[in-house]
Amino acid sequence: MHRLQLSAVCAIDPGLSDTEFARIEHEFGFQFADDHRAFLGAGLPVNSRPRPRQPGVIYTYAEPWPDWRAAIREPLRERLAWPSEGVLFDVENNGFWFDGWGSRPGDTASALAIAARMLAQVPRMVPIYGHRYLPAGRGTFGHPVLSMWQTDIIHYGMNIADYIDREFGRGQTAEVPWEPQATVEFWTDLI
């Protein structure tokens, strides 16, 4: 297997095959959005060495690129659960309650049970890098990349290509206006 090294950002392994995509999507119960699938099919970013750490910065993962091919499966499940778990943390610890869920129960255990049931019905978010996510969904593309930290959710790129450029490339250029459009129910309400 040939690996392309891209300095401190990552190495690029050969892209995921159709067989690998089918196995991953079956195992984890989601389908990659078309542009996310194309990105991972062109080349699989892998964690080649630790990135330099800046003092005072909180990092979500020691290895920020999800390794869909070879990683231990439980950490991938945890990363897929991260967005919903973050919302549940805020329900329990910070008084968060989404208006679309109706009236908040008086006790925390009931609030958490309702929130967990409602979150099981929202679109699945799939990690790209660290706590940056795209919604799942075959036949969809062009979603903005969201940075998800509990209920603090912001746009981090207008789409996957824009995100990669902003996070690891040149950043925003004067010719490209910053106008991300929210595209997925529930999560867009938290932006």
Side-chain angles (χ1 to χ4, degrees):
M1 183 180 294
H2 181 263
R3 176 175 281 177
L4 173 65
Q5 182 68 42
L6 294 177
S7 66
V9 174
C10 66
I12 305 292
D13 278 356
L16 295 174
S17 68
D18 288 341
T19 302
E20 288 174 309
F21 277 115
R23 178 187 51 79
I24 293 162
E25 292 173 340
H26 175 74
E27 180 178 354
F28 293 105
F30 73 89
Q31 293 183 320
F32 288 97
D34 293 355
D35 48 359
H36 196 176
R37 184 181 179 93
F39 174 74
L40 296 173
L44 181 66
V46 293
N47 302 289
S48 57
R49 64 182 125 177
R51 289 190 72 188
R53 302 293 184 180
Q54 297 176 6
V57 175
I58 298 172
Y59 293 89
T60 50
Y61 300 100
E63 295 184 340
W65 294 101
D67 185 352
W68 296 107
R69 179 175 283 133
I72 298 169
R73 304 330 255 174
E74 190 54 34
L76 286 173
R77 283 182 187 67
E78 290 171 3
R79 291 178 84 151
L80 286 162
W82 169 274
S84 292
E85 291 296 323
V87 172
L88 292 173
F89 179 89
D90 278 356
V91 167
E92 182 175 16
N93 297 291
N94 298 318
F96 173 78
W97 194 252
F98 183 63
D99 290 339
W101 296 341
S103 298
R104 182 184 172 113
D107 66 292
T108 303
S110 295
L112 282 169
I114 290 170
R117 189 174 69 247
M118 300 305 284
L119 286 165
Q121 300 171 33
V122 302
R124 193 88 181 264
M125 300 300 290
V126 181
I128 296 175
Y129 177 86
H131 58 280
R132 314 293 193 252
Y133 283 76
L134 273 175
R138 181 76 52 84
T140 67
F141 60 92
H143 298 288
V145 172
L146 301 179
S147 175
M148 307 183 87
W149 193 280
Q150 294 162 223
T151 54
D152 181 12
I153 299 175
I154 62 172
H155 289 109
Y156 230 75
M158 291 186 294
N159 53 49
I160 194 168
D162 181 62
Y163 161 71
I164 295 297
D165 192 44
R166 287 175 190 276
E167 184 87 52
F168 305 108
R170 301 180 313 272
Q172 183 176 1
T173 62
E175 299 84 39
V176 180
W178 176 247
E179 297 175 1
Q181 300 296 313
T183 57
V184 63
E185 72 177 71
F186 177 76
W187 300 110
T188 60
D189 295 324
L190 300 184
I191 295 173

